[in-house]
Short mmCIF file of all heavy atoms in Angstrom, two decimals:
data_model
loop_
_atom_site.label_atom_id
_atom_site.label_comp_id
_atom_site.label_asym_id
_atom_site.label_seq_id
_atom_site.Cartn_x
_atom_site.Cartn_y
_atom_site.Cartn_z
N SER A 1 11.37 -12.94 -16.93
CA SER A 1 12.15 -13.53 -17.99
C SER A 1 13.29 -14.43 -17.48
O SER A 1 13.92 -15.12 -18.26
CB SER A 1 12.74 -12.46 -18.89
OG SER A 1 13.59 -11.56 -18.18
N THR A 2 13.52 -14.41 -16.17
CA THR A 2 14.62 -15.17 -15.62
C THR A 2 14.41 -16.68 -15.73
O THR A 2 13.32 -17.18 -15.44
CB THR A 2 14.93 -14.81 -14.17
OG1 THR A 2 16.01 -15.58 -13.66
CG2 THR A 2 13.69 -15.07 -13.27
N ARG A 3 15.46 -17.41 -16.12
CA ARG A 3 15.35 -18.84 -16.27
C ARG A 3 15.44 -19.54 -14.92
O ARG A 3 15.20 -20.73 -14.83
CB ARG A 3 16.44 -19.36 -17.20
CG ARG A 3 17.85 -19.13 -16.71
CD ARG A 3 18.83 -19.56 -17.77
NE ARG A 3 18.69 -20.95 -18.15
CZ ARG A 3 19.28 -21.51 -19.22
NH1 ARG A 3 20.02 -20.78 -20.02
NH2 ARG A 3 19.10 -22.79 -19.45
N THR A 4 15.77 -18.78 -13.84
CA THR A 4 15.84 -19.36 -12.51
C THR A 4 14.57 -19.14 -11.70
O THR A 4 14.55 -19.35 -10.51
CB THR A 4 17.03 -18.78 -11.73
OG1 THR A 4 16.87 -17.35 -11.58
CG2 THR A 4 18.33 -19.06 -12.46
N PHE A 5 13.49 -18.76 -12.37
CA PHE A 5 12.22 -18.48 -11.68
C PHE A 5 11.77 -19.66 -10.82
O PHE A 5 11.27 -19.50 -9.72
CB PHE A 5 11.14 -18.16 -12.73
CG PHE A 5 9.75 -18.02 -12.16
CD1 PHE A 5 9.38 -16.87 -11.49
CD2 PHE A 5 8.81 -19.04 -12.29
CE1 PHE A 5 8.12 -16.73 -10.96
CE2 PHE A 5 7.55 -18.90 -11.79
CZ PHE A 5 7.19 -17.73 -11.11
N SER A 6 11.98 -20.89 -11.32
CA SER A 6 11.49 -22.07 -10.61
C SER A 6 12.23 -22.32 -9.28
O SER A 6 11.76 -23.09 -8.46
CB SER A 6 11.62 -23.29 -11.51
OG SER A 6 12.98 -23.55 -11.85
N SER A 7 13.33 -21.62 -9.07
CA SER A 7 14.08 -21.83 -7.83
C SER A 7 13.67 -20.87 -6.72
O SER A 7 14.17 -20.94 -5.60
CB SER A 7 15.58 -21.65 -8.10
OG SER A 7 15.92 -20.32 -8.42
N TYR A 8 12.72 -19.97 -6.98
CA TYR A 8 12.26 -18.97 -6.03
C TYR A 8 10.87 -19.32 -5.50
O TYR A 8 10.00 -19.79 -6.22
CB TYR A 8 12.18 -17.61 -6.64
CG TYR A 8 13.51 -16.98 -6.97
CD1 TYR A 8 14.05 -17.08 -8.23
CD2 TYR A 8 14.21 -16.29 -6.01
CE1 TYR A 8 15.27 -16.53 -8.55
CE2 TYR A 8 15.44 -15.68 -6.31
CZ TYR A 8 15.95 -15.81 -7.59
OH TYR A 8 17.15 -15.23 -7.90
N ALA A 9 10.66 -19.03 -4.22
CA ALA A 9 9.30 -18.92 -3.71
C ALA A 9 8.77 -17.54 -4.19
O ALA A 9 9.52 -16.59 -4.34
CB ALA A 9 9.29 -18.94 -2.18
N VAL A 10 7.47 -17.48 -4.48
CA VAL A 10 6.89 -16.26 -4.96
C VAL A 10 5.60 -15.93 -4.21
O VAL A 10 4.95 -16.84 -3.68
CB VAL A 10 6.61 -16.31 -6.49
CG1 VAL A 10 7.92 -16.13 -7.26
CG2 VAL A 10 5.95 -17.59 -6.90
N ALA A 11 5.25 -14.66 -4.17
CA ALA A 11 4.13 -14.25 -3.34
C ALA A 11 3.45 -13.02 -3.93
O ALA A 11 3.99 -12.31 -4.82
CB ALA A 11 4.60 -13.92 -1.94
N TRP A 12 2.24 -12.77 -3.42
CA TRP A 12 1.49 -11.57 -3.73
C TRP A 12 1.32 -10.75 -2.44
O TRP A 12 0.92 -11.30 -1.40
CB TRP A 12 0.10 -11.86 -4.31
CG TRP A 12 0.14 -12.41 -5.71
CD1 TRP A 12 0.08 -13.72 -6.05
CD2 TRP A 12 0.22 -11.68 -6.91
NE1 TRP A 12 0.15 -13.86 -7.41
CE2 TRP A 12 0.22 -12.61 -7.97
CE3 TRP A 12 0.29 -10.32 -7.21
CZ2 TRP A 12 0.29 -12.24 -9.32
CZ3 TRP A 12 0.38 -9.95 -8.54
CH2 TRP A 12 0.38 -10.88 -9.58
N PHE A 13 1.56 -9.47 -2.55
CA PHE A 13 1.26 -8.47 -1.48
C PHE A 13 0.37 -7.42 -2.08
O PHE A 13 0.25 -7.27 -3.28
CB PHE A 13 2.56 -7.87 -0.95
CG PHE A 13 3.39 -8.79 -0.13
CD1 PHE A 13 4.18 -9.75 -0.72
CD2 PHE A 13 3.40 -8.71 1.25
CE1 PHE A 13 4.96 -10.62 0.03
CE2 PHE A 13 4.16 -9.59 2.03
CZ PHE A 13 4.94 -10.53 1.41
N ARG A 14 -0.25 -6.63 -1.22
CA ARG A 14 -1.07 -5.53 -1.71
C ARG A 14 -0.96 -4.34 -0.74
O ARG A 14 -0.63 -4.49 0.43
CB ARG A 14 -2.53 -5.93 -1.84
CG ARG A 14 -3.23 -6.26 -0.54
CD ARG A 14 -4.64 -6.83 -0.83
NE ARG A 14 -5.37 -7.09 0.41
CZ ARG A 14 -6.54 -7.73 0.43
NH1 ARG A 14 -7.12 -8.13 -0.69
NH2 ARG A 14 -7.15 -7.93 1.62
N GLN A 15 -1.21 -3.17 -1.30
CA GLN A 15 -1.14 -1.96 -0.49
C GLN A 15 -2.29 -1.02 -0.90
O GLN A 15 -2.31 -0.52 -2.01
CB GLN A 15 0.22 -1.26 -0.67
CG GLN A 15 0.40 -0.07 0.25
CD GLN A 15 1.81 0.46 0.26
OE1 GLN A 15 2.58 0.22 -0.67
NE2 GLN A 15 2.21 1.15 1.32
N ALA A 16 -3.19 -0.80 0.03
CA ALA A 16 -4.27 0.12 -0.19
C ALA A 16 -3.77 1.57 0.07
O ALA A 16 -2.82 1.79 0.82
CB ALA A 16 -5.46 -0.19 0.71
N ALA A 17 -4.47 2.51 -0.49
CA ALA A 17 -4.09 3.93 -0.33
C ALA A 17 -4.07 4.30 1.13
O ALA A 17 -5.05 4.08 1.86
CB ALA A 17 -5.07 4.83 -1.13
N GLY A 18 -2.97 4.86 1.56
CA GLY A 18 -2.86 5.33 2.94
C GLY A 18 -2.60 4.24 3.97
O GLY A 18 -2.58 4.55 5.17
N LYS A 19 -2.38 2.98 3.53
CA LYS A 19 -2.17 1.88 4.45
C LYS A 19 -0.85 1.20 4.14
O LYS A 19 -0.24 1.40 3.10
CB LYS A 19 -3.33 0.86 4.34
CG LYS A 19 -4.67 1.44 4.74
CD LYS A 19 -5.76 0.36 4.72
CE LYS A 19 -7.07 0.91 5.18
NZ LYS A 19 -8.14 -0.14 5.17
N GLU A 20 -0.44 0.35 5.09
CA GLU A 20 0.79 -0.39 4.94
C GLU A 20 0.58 -1.57 4.00
O GLU A 20 -0.51 -2.06 3.82
CB GLU A 20 1.29 -0.87 6.31
CG GLU A 20 1.68 0.24 7.26
CD GLU A 20 2.21 -0.29 8.58
OE1 GLU A 20 2.05 -1.48 8.86
OE2 GLU A 20 2.82 0.51 9.31
N ARG A 21 1.70 -2.02 3.41
CA ARG A 21 1.65 -3.19 2.55
C ARG A 21 1.35 -4.44 3.37
O ARG A 21 1.86 -4.59 4.50
CB ARG A 21 3.01 -3.35 1.85
CG ARG A 21 3.07 -4.47 0.83
CD ARG A 21 4.35 -4.35 -0.01
NE ARG A 21 5.54 -4.36 0.81
CZ ARG A 21 6.73 -3.99 0.39
NH1 ARG A 21 6.89 -3.56 -0.85
NH2 ARG A 21 7.78 -4.05 1.20
N GLU A 22 0.49 -5.32 2.85
CA GLU A 22 0.12 -6.49 3.57
C GLU A 22 0.22 -7.74 2.70
O GLU A 22 0.10 -7.69 1.46
CB GLU A 22 -1.32 -6.38 4.11
CG GLU A 22 -2.41 -6.31 3.06
CD GLU A 22 -3.80 -6.35 3.65
OE1 GLU A 22 -3.95 -6.61 4.83
OE2 GLU A 22 -4.74 -6.06 2.86
N PHE A 23 0.46 -8.86 3.37
CA PHE A 23 0.60 -10.15 2.71
C PHE A 23 -0.78 -10.62 2.18
O PHE A 23 -1.79 -10.47 2.84
CB PHE A 23 1.16 -11.15 3.68
CG PHE A 23 1.19 -12.57 3.21
CD1 PHE A 23 2.10 -12.98 2.27
CD2 PHE A 23 0.25 -13.48 3.68
CE1 PHE A 23 2.13 -14.28 1.84
CE2 PHE A 23 0.26 -14.77 3.27
CZ PHE A 23 1.20 -15.18 2.32
N VAL A 24 -0.74 -11.25 1.02
CA VAL A 24 -1.95 -11.85 0.42
C VAL A 24 -1.83 -13.37 0.34
O VAL A 24 -2.64 -14.11 0.89
CB VAL A 24 -2.25 -11.27 -0.94
CG1 VAL A 24 -3.46 -11.93 -1.60
CG2 VAL A 24 -2.47 -9.76 -0.86
N ALA A 25 -0.84 -13.84 -0.39
CA ALA A 25 -0.65 -15.26 -0.62
C ALA A 25 0.73 -15.54 -1.10
O ALA A 25 1.40 -14.68 -1.70
CB ALA A 25 -1.70 -15.80 -1.64
N ALA A 26 1.21 -16.78 -0.89
CA ALA A 26 2.54 -17.18 -1.31
C ALA A 26 2.52 -18.64 -1.73
O ALA A 26 1.63 -19.42 -1.33
CB ALA A 26 3.57 -16.96 -0.23
N ILE A 27 3.49 -19.02 -2.54
CA ILE A 27 3.61 -20.40 -3.00
C ILE A 27 5.09 -20.78 -3.08
O ILE A 27 5.94 -19.96 -3.42
CB ILE A 27 2.92 -20.54 -4.38
CG1 ILE A 27 2.85 -22.01 -4.83
CG2 ILE A 27 3.60 -19.72 -5.46
CD1 ILE A 27 1.86 -22.25 -6.00
N SER A 28 5.36 -22.05 -2.70
CA SER A 28 6.76 -22.54 -2.71
C SER A 28 7.27 -22.68 -4.14
O SER A 28 6.54 -22.64 -5.12
CB SER A 28 6.85 -23.85 -1.96
OG SER A 28 6.06 -24.83 -2.62
N TRP A 29 8.58 -22.90 -4.24
CA TRP A 29 9.21 -22.98 -5.54
C TRP A 29 8.65 -24.08 -6.43
O TRP A 29 8.59 -23.94 -7.66
CB TRP A 29 10.72 -23.09 -5.42
CG TRP A 29 11.20 -24.42 -4.86
CD1 TRP A 29 11.47 -24.69 -3.54
CD2 TRP A 29 11.49 -25.59 -5.56
NE1 TRP A 29 11.87 -25.99 -3.40
CE2 TRP A 29 11.91 -26.57 -4.65
CE3 TRP A 29 11.46 -25.95 -6.94
CZ2 TRP A 29 12.30 -27.87 -5.01
CZ3 TRP A 29 11.80 -27.24 -7.31
CH2 TRP A 29 12.23 -28.19 -6.37
N GLY A 30 8.24 -25.20 -5.81
CA GLY A 30 7.71 -26.32 -6.56
C GLY A 30 6.21 -26.29 -6.70
O GLY A 30 5.64 -27.13 -7.41
N GLY A 31 5.54 -25.33 -6.07
CA GLY A 31 4.11 -25.19 -6.16
C GLY A 31 3.28 -26.13 -5.29
O GLY A 31 2.07 -26.16 -5.43
N ARG A 32 3.93 -26.88 -4.40
CA ARG A 32 3.22 -27.87 -3.60
C ARG A 32 2.69 -27.30 -2.30
O ARG A 32 1.78 -27.89 -1.70
CB ARG A 32 4.16 -29.05 -3.32
CG ARG A 32 4.59 -29.82 -4.56
CD ARG A 32 5.45 -31.00 -4.20
NE ARG A 32 5.93 -31.71 -5.37
CZ ARG A 32 7.06 -31.43 -6.02
NH1 ARG A 32 7.84 -30.46 -5.59
NH2 ARG A 32 7.40 -32.13 -7.09
N SER A 33 3.26 -26.18 -1.83
CA SER A 33 2.86 -25.58 -0.59
C SER A 33 2.42 -24.15 -0.81
O SER A 33 3.02 -23.41 -1.57
CB SER A 33 4.00 -25.60 0.43
OG SER A 33 4.40 -26.94 0.70
N THR A 34 1.33 -23.74 -0.14
CA THR A 34 0.79 -22.38 -0.26
C THR A 34 0.50 -21.81 1.12
O THR A 34 0.41 -22.52 2.11
CB THR A 34 -0.49 -22.37 -1.08
OG1 THR A 34 -1.47 -23.23 -0.49
CG2 THR A 34 -0.22 -22.81 -2.50
N ASN A 35 0.38 -20.48 1.12
CA ASN A 35 0.15 -19.76 2.37
C ASN A 35 -0.78 -18.58 2.03
O ASN A 35 -0.48 -17.81 1.11
CB ASN A 35 1.48 -19.24 2.93
CG ASN A 35 1.36 -18.63 4.28
OD1 ASN A 35 0.36 -18.72 4.96
ND2 ASN A 35 2.43 -17.93 4.71
#
């Protein structure tokens, strides 16, 4: 709900049962760069 959402980079992580959290994907604040 934050109006400042567009100023943040955002990402997805995942964690399987019994395992450590791992990186999945990320996107820059403007949406032009991904990882």
Side-chain angles (χ1 to χ4, degrees):
S1 60
T2 179
R3 63 186 301 168
T4 62
F5 174 77
S6 62
S7 68
Y8 291 95
V10 284
W12 290 96
F13 289 78
R14 66 187 182 187
Q15 187 169 23
K19 297 184 178 180
E20 295 182 346
R21 185 168 57 194
E22 66 174 347
F23 171 76
V24 177
I27 189 167
S28 63
W29 68 268
R32 298 182 182 89
S33 299
T34 58
N35 187 14

